[in-house]
């Protein structure tokens, strides 16, 4: 390290101007944290049992980003049972544009393997416009009361695959927070295939035995977008005879929930959609029929398929009422019946 020092019995101050700096924290980071340049100042004072580094204000440059750093550290000089004299770091990092792989630099080995694996497999693309990293406390007992970690990112062009079976989620702008053993992401506007989402929230809890993903969002989309999205999902195979035939127009509003157990990568996500149809037209090319002005609630989840107590509309200029789900036509075993099972009543 290249630095100028000023010291007396009260402590010391270092003015740092160095290149190729390495910060090695074994058992916490797999590789040393490398920086091309470090410039700034750092103070220190000491007593018989403890060296305290403090008031560190540094401008650093790494290969993939520049950052401003506030740094302090407590370094015990003797082995002691006094918990107040544990090795501890107090680090604040603020940075501008950077690739999302910056998470690999700052997230320690002590992060849950489930969380690390999910971050590695789920984030397909994106770049950080800016962000911050905070470490408070010691290196033992990661995530306990005296220790915390946060990594916050302002992300553009994020593509997130919550399951390989479903289309990836894409958003032009999102906020992402990694907090010890959790990941939270928020976006005002997002998209899954042709499905437009608003107010998206994604929560990943990898704490202990939980290991769960929960995503929620509002849907305000054209009915055609819902159909084309379902054609790119596992629902298409289960209801091929219906989804390959129909076309849709009209407005659909809904609440979307995705629930996924991260402990078992073989499990598919549970997707739940509570929607309301507003003057939706549904046309069957095979039957040469069109259901018009369909209005009413329509729910879907991956366990029970589609359900509705009543959807009203018009067919051949006559009003109809349709009940969906609960095996209303006794169609067990029919193609797609476990997904879409409906009875339509009208007077012709």
């Amino acid at each position: 390290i290249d630095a100028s020092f000023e010291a007396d019995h009260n402590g010391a101050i270092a003015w740092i101007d160095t290149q190729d700096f390495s910060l090695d924290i074994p058992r916490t980071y797999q590789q040393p944290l490398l920086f091309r340049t470090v410039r700034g100042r750092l103070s220190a004072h000491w007593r018989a049992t403890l060296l305290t580094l403090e008031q560190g204000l540094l401008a650093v440059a790494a290969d993939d980003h520049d950052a401003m750093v506030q740094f302090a550290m407590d370094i015990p000089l003797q082995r002691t049972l006094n918990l107040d004299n544990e090795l501890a770091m107090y680090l604040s990092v603020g940075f501008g544009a950077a690739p999302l792989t910056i998470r690999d630099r700052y997230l320690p080995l002590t992060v849950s393997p489930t969380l690390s694996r999910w971050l590695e497999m789920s984030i397909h693309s994106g770049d950080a416009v800016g962000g911050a990293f905070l470490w408070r406390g010691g290196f033992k007992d990661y995530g306990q009361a005296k220790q915390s970690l946060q990594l916050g990112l302002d992300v553009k062009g994020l593509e997130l695959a919550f399951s390989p079976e479903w289309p990836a989620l894409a958003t032009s702008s999102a906020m992402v927070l990694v907090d010890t053993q959790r990941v939270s992401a928020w976006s005002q506007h997002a998209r899954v295939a042709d499905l437009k989402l608003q107010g998206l929230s994604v929560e990943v809890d990898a704490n202990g035995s939980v290991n769960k993903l929960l995503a929620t969002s509002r849907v305000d989309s054209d009915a055609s977008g819902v159909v084309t999205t379902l054609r790119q999902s596992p629902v298409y195979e289960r209801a091929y005879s219906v989804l390959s035939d129909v076309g849709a127009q009209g407005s659909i509003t809904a609440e979307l929930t995705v629930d996924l157990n991260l402990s078992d990568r073989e499990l598919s996500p549970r997707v739940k959609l509570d929607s309301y149809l507003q003057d939706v037209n549904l046309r069957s090319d095979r039957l040469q029929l069109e259901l018009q002005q369909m209005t009413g609630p329509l729910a879907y989840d991956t366990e029970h398929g589609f359900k509705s107590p009543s959807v009203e509309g018009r067919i051949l200029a006559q009003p109809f009422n349709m009940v969906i789900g609960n095996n209303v036509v006794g169609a067990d075993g029919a193609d797609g019946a476990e997904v879409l099972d409906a009875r339509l009543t009208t007077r012709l």
Side-chain angles (χ1 to χ4, degrees):
I1 184 171
D2 295 325
S4 300
F5 292 90
E6 181 180 301
D8 58 23
H9 65 280
N10 293 316
I13 299 176
W15 286 270
I16 301 169
D17 187 352
T18 192
Q19 297 182 350
D20 299 325
F21 178 79
S22 173
L23 178 61
D24 192 4
I25 309 176
R27 297 190 298 276
T28 299
Y29 289 96
Q30 186 171 6
Q31 301 291 336
L33 303 179
L34 304 177
F35 300 94
R36 293 199 315 270
T37 61
V38 177
R39 295 184 175 92
R41 58 164 285 169
L42 181 64
S43 299
H45 67 269
W46 52 87
R47 59 179 189 265
T49 60
L50 185 68
L51 169 64
T52 299
L53 305 178
E54 60 184 2
Q55 298 179 4
L57 183 59
L58 307 166
V60 305
D63 289 338
D64 53 2
H65 71 291
D66 298 334
M68 291 298 298
V69 177
Q70 289 183 320
F71 177 79
M73 194 171 225
D74 294 332
I75 305 174
L77 301 178
Q78 296 178 0
R79 290 183 178 272
T80 175
L81 296 178
N82 185 354
L83 297 180
D84 292 331
N85 286 346
E86 287 186 340
L87 178 66
M89 179 172 68
Y90 305 91
L91 178 65
S92 303
V93 181
F95 51 87
L100 282 186
T101 51
I102 195 172
R103 67 182 184 273
D104 299 329
R105 173 184 293 272
Y106 290 113
L107 295 183
L109 293 172
T110 41
V111 164
S112 159
T114 300
L115 185 58
S116 295
R117 183 172 59 248
W118 183 83
L119 288 168
E120 182 68 28
M121 296 179 61
S122 299
I123 298 177
H124 287 185
S125 64
D127 291 292
V129 178
F133 172 75
L134 303 176
W135 180 291
R136 297 288 184 271
F139 299 94
K140 298 178 181 179
D141 299 325
Y142 177 79
Q144 300 303 309
K146 290 187 176 182
Q147 193 281 331
S148 64
L149 172 148
Q150 288 88 33
L151 174 64
L153 299 169
D154 183 359
V155 182
K156 66 176 183 179
L158 178 65
E159 184 174 306
L160 186 68
F162 57 86
S163 169
E165 300 174 336
W166 286 80
L169 184 151
T171 176
S172 60
S173 177
M175 297 296 297
V176 179
L177 174 65
V178 182
D179 185 355
T180 311
Q181 303 289 18
R182 296 181 63 94
V183 175
S184 303
W186 305 274
S187 179
Q188 287 295 321
H189 303 282
R191 181 183 294 269
V192 174
D194 292 327
L195 196 64
K196 297 178 182 179
L197 308 179
Q198 296 180 348
L200 172 70
S201 171
V202 179
E203 297 287 337
V204 177
D205 189 346
N207 185 17
S209 60
V210 180
N211 292 329
K212 180 179 179 181
L213 176 148
L214 180 65
T216 59
S217 179
R218 299 188 307 276
V219 177
D220 188 358
S221 190
D222 187 86
S224 61
V226 177
V227 172
T228 55
T229 300
L230 291 175
R231 287 173 179 166
Q232 300 175 56
S233 76
V235 181
Y236 187 50
E237 183 177 348
R238 297 172 61 194
Y240 173 81
S241 61
V242 176
L243 292 175
S244 63
D245 175 48
V246 299
Q249 291 181 326
S251 175
I252 293 180
T253 57
E255 297 291 331
L256 173 67
T257 302
V258 178
D259 189 337
L260 178 62
N261 183 349
L262 301 177
S263 299
D264 189 344
R265 283 178 285 178
E266 300 299 321
L267 293 177
S268 298
R270 179 176 179 179
V271 178
K272 184 178 180 182
L273 188 71
D274 291 318
S275 67
Y276 190 84
L277 312 182
Q278 184 66 48
D279 291 330
V280 171
N281 296 337
L282 193 68
R283 177 175 176 80
S284 168
D285 292 332
R286 185 178 299 121
L287 300 177
Q288 290 296 297
L289 281 176
E290 184 172 22
L291 305 182
Q292 298 176 323
Q293 301 175 2
M294 295 173 62
T295 299
L298 177 63
Y300 168 81
D301 72 58
T302 46
E303 290 188 8
H304 305 105
F306 290 93
K307 286 187 177 182
S308 176
S310 176
V311 173
E312 296 181 346
R314 300 184 71 84
I315 182 172
L316 300 176
Q318 296 297 319
F320 73 80
N321 180 273
M322 182 164 54
V323 179
I324 303 172
N326 296 320
N327 195 27
V328 294
V329 295
D332 288 335
D335 183 15
E338 74 279 13
V339 179
L340 181 58
D341 174 26
R343 171 182 288 143
L344 184 149
T345 304
T346 187
R347 179 178 295 176
L348 299 176

